Amino acid sequence: MSSEFDTLKTWVDEAKRLVFFGGAGVSTESGIPDFRSVDGLYNQKYKYPPEEIISATFFRERPEEFFAFYKEKMLPLGFEPNVTHKVLARWEREGKLSAVVTQNIDGLHQKAGSKNVLELHGSVLRNYCTRCGRSYSAAFVKNSSGIPRCDCGGIVKPDVVLYEESLDSDVMYRAARAISEADVLIVAGTSLTVYPAAGMIAYYRGSRMVLINRDHTPYDNEADLVIHDSLGKVFSAL
């Protein structure tokens, strides 16, 4: 990896508007499971397929079963940022990194100190009553018995994008603008198979797109630099 890493280090050193686009692989080294790997949630056996459970229809029709799965498998409380989160936060403090665009919903980028985090799929840390709009913490949802309910009786829904729901248009716009204005784009820890999020990298107009992932992705041939290695190893060296 030495020549690829040297190139990456040079590009990072020279960057003035670096943008990081990350997926589940960023948080797996903090202990949070992903969805599509061999041991991921999609390859485990449940009463219903996970893709069905975390859909808007399932949430409406079977909220008790939705929350049983969500609290056990998708509410990652108590986890800590890893070296990748911490290095990105440092780059932002140094004025090198302009934005983190993430597909993750765990809030670890903010916990590490990053400020400009664009969460394409929402966050488990934000929850709201579907009837009156009152906000609730993730701990409230986690510790509730059965379906979490507001004082008004409404269901408290996590502010995460479920299947069949659209991504937030304002977040999408801000992410597209940040990526289009970047001089270096680092895409990491993502299979680049989830749309429309994966299509965001098409907004990049520069010539220094770096793809860091353990496995091959559909965009390997379009990147200017590809590193097949763990994020922890790469960012520890940076």
Side-chain angles (χ1 to χ4, degrees):
M1 187 183 77
S2 59
S3 62
E4 290 87 354
F5 175 76
D6 289 343
T7 299
L8 172 59
K9 188 175 186 308
T10 297
W11 289 0
V12 169
D13 288 343
E14 294 175 353
K16 293 181 174 61
R17 295 185 309 280
L18 190 154
V19 170
F20 180 88
F21 180 99
V26 177
S27 293
T28 52
E29 293 183 23
S30 288
I32 297 176
D34 65 1
F35 284 82
R36 290 175 172 75
S37 68
V38 174
D39 299 317
L41 294 181
Y42 285 175
N43 290 311
Q44 298 179 28
K45 300 297 182 183
Y46 303 101
K47 184 178 178 180
Y48 302 94
E51 299 96 321
E52 181 180 347
I53 297 174
I54 54 177
S55 68
T57 297
F58 197 92
F59 172 81
R60 287 193 305 270
E61 297 179 353
R62 300 176 180 270
E64 191 155 352
E65 291 176 275
F66 169 88
F67 279 106
F69 178 87
Y70 176 79
K71 292 177 194 177
E72 180 184 357
K73 300 295 184 181
M74 294 184 62
L75 196 47
L77 302 183
F79 291 90
E80 295 298 324
N82 58 53
V83 64
T84 302
H85 299 107
K86 293 174 183 176
V87 169
L88 292 171
R90 189 190 80 216
W91 286 350
E92 186 182 54
R93 289 194 302 271
E94 294 171 348
K96 181 179 296 294
L97 183 141
S98 58
V100 169
V101 180
T102 181
Q103 296 171 274
N104 296 336
I105 58 176
D106 50 52
L108 289 183
H109 285 293
Q110 292 92 327
K111 197 171 185 179
S114 290
K115 304 298 183 186
N116 190 24
V117 182
L118 303 173
E119 297 168 311
L120 297 177
H121 296 150
S123 172
V124 300
L125 302 183
R126 297 188 299 270
N127 303 270
Y128 63 93
C129 173
T130 54
R131 180 179 295 175
C132 73
R134 179 178 174 183
S135 297
Y136 285 87
S137 68
F140 174 86
V141 174
K142 182 80 169 179
N143 297 327
S144 62
S145 177
I147 302 171
R149 290 191 179 275
C150 176
D151 292 340
C152 76
I155 295 177
V156 176
K157 181 186 182 295
D159 188 16
V160 299
V161 179
L162 304 177
Y163 284 109
E164 304 167 350
E165 293 182 332
S166 300
L167 274 62
D168 184 280
S169 59
D170 179 62
V171 174
M172 289 278 285
Y173 171 78
R174 291 163 59 201
R177 181 172 180 176
I179 290 171
S180 69
E181 294 176 349
D183 53 4
V184 176
L185 175 64
I186 297 179
V187 181
T190 172
S191 61
L192 291 173
T193 57
V194 178
Y195 288 86
M200 298 297 296
I201 66 175
Y203 288 99
Y204 182 58
R205 295 291 179 261
S207 58
R208 292 185 170 187
M209 183 169 80
V210 185
L211 206 159
I212 308 170
N213 201 53
R214 284 184 179 275
D215 303 315
H216 292 272
T217 79
Y219 285 83
D220 280 15
N221 291 335
E222 298 186 30
D224 302 293
L225 178 65
V226 177
I227 298 176
H228 289 137
D229 214 325
S230 74
L231 284 178
K233 182 177 178 181
V234 173
F235 276 79
S236 292
L238 288 170

